[in-house]
């Protein structure tokens, strides 16, 4: 049987298919979770739908306040129509509190507030484990220009302000997150947009009241149910997808 449509790329958590019109793609969210650069892999039923819904929520909010993203519209529970972009080969990380690799590198306690938001760049190269790189490497090797980098930092800080505020409103602290940035062309004019996804797979989200982790660290550190954590974020934001509500099957007492 002929495939329904052409697969353009398959990553660890998403698949990109050819879109219905030139310049568009379909982004499909898988249920797979990986950690340690793909060394550990598990499937969590419902994760794809939750991430798709959450990413839609954040991207739509960003578009509405004038921060451009690749998101066009949701097609179904785990598929979105997005603009095709030229991905800048960087993982753009914004940190508000120390955690993960930064806490390890600097010997800081996880959760230490940083003096100000810090933006850092990793070179997107799975084989190398996405190494942290200074801006000078990025410009010298031509992965992005200095002007691009200045624009990327502004974009990343606007995303940070938006996400921090939205999450604070539902009692969640935005510790850090990663975005990817893509270039689009409109009538020969290039501009940079937020691409990929914004979800608990690519952010650290801690409940302010209890410190409970509500992100992929739940999987990385075996802290319980990953989908319960993601569903909690979606529930607080009022965007829990229909049909993915957790039916906790409990024994029913029959008299
Ligand atoms: O996750 P890890 O401790 O290895 O890396 P990090 O540099 O502390 O990650 C900072 C933030 O970026 C976390 O929210 C990660 O989930 C996210 N990140 C990501 O989404 N994808 C990567 N390849 C690396 C980091």
């Amino acid at each position: 049987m002929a495939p329904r449509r052409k697969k353009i790329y398959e990553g660890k958590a998403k698949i990109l298919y050819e879109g219905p019109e030139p310049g568009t793609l379909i982004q499909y969210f898988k249920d797979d979770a990986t950690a340690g650069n793909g060394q550990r892999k598990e499937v969590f039923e419902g994760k794809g739908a939750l991430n798709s819904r959450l990413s839609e929520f954040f991207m739509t909010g960003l578009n509405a306040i004038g921060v451009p993203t690749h998101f066009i519209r949701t097609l179904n529970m785990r598929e979105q129509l997005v603009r095709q972009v030229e991905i800048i080969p960087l993982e753009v990380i914004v940190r508000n509190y120390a955690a993960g690799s930064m806490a390890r590198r600097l010997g800081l306690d996880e959760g230490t507030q940083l003096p100000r938001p810090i933006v850092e760049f990793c070179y997107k190269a799975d084989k190398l484990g996405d190494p942290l790189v200074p801006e000078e490497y990025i410009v010298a090797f031509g992965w992005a220009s200095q002007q691009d980098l200045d624009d990327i930092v502004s974009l990343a800080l606007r995303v940070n302000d938006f996400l921090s505020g939205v999450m604070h409103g539902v009692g969640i602290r935005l510790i850090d997150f990663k975005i990817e940035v893509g270039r689009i062309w409109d009538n020969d004019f290039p501009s940079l947009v937020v691409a990929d996804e914004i979800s608990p797979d690519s952010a650290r989200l801690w409940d302010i009241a209890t410190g409970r982790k509500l992100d992929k660290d739940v999987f990385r550190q075996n802290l319980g149910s990953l989908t319960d954590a993601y569903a909690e974020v979606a529930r607080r934001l009022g965007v829990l997808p229909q049909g993915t509500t957790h039916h906790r099957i409990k024994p029913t007492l029959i008299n």
Side-chain angles (χ1 to χ4, degrees), residues 91 93 95 99-101 104 130 176 178 201-204 220:
E91 312 237 308
I93 295 173
R95 301 177 182 276
S101 62
R104 287 193 295 275
D130 300 334
D176 58 30
K178 181 227 34 173
D201 266 6
S202 53
R204 287 196 171 91
R220 294 187 188 101

Side-chain angles (χ1 to χ4, degrees), residues 101-120:
S101 62
M102 175 192 242
R104 287 193 295 275
R105 189 177 315 113
L106 301 182
L108 294 170
D109 287 336
E110 283 223 317
T112 308
Q113 187 164 24
L114 302 175
R116 61 181 175 84
I118 291 177
V119 182
E120 65 185 38

Side-chain angles (χ1 to χ4, degrees), residues 160-173:
N160 185 45
D161 283 346
F162 172 77
L163 287 183
S164 296
V166 168
M167 298 317 294
H168 182 80
V170 296
I172 294 173
R173 178 167 295 141

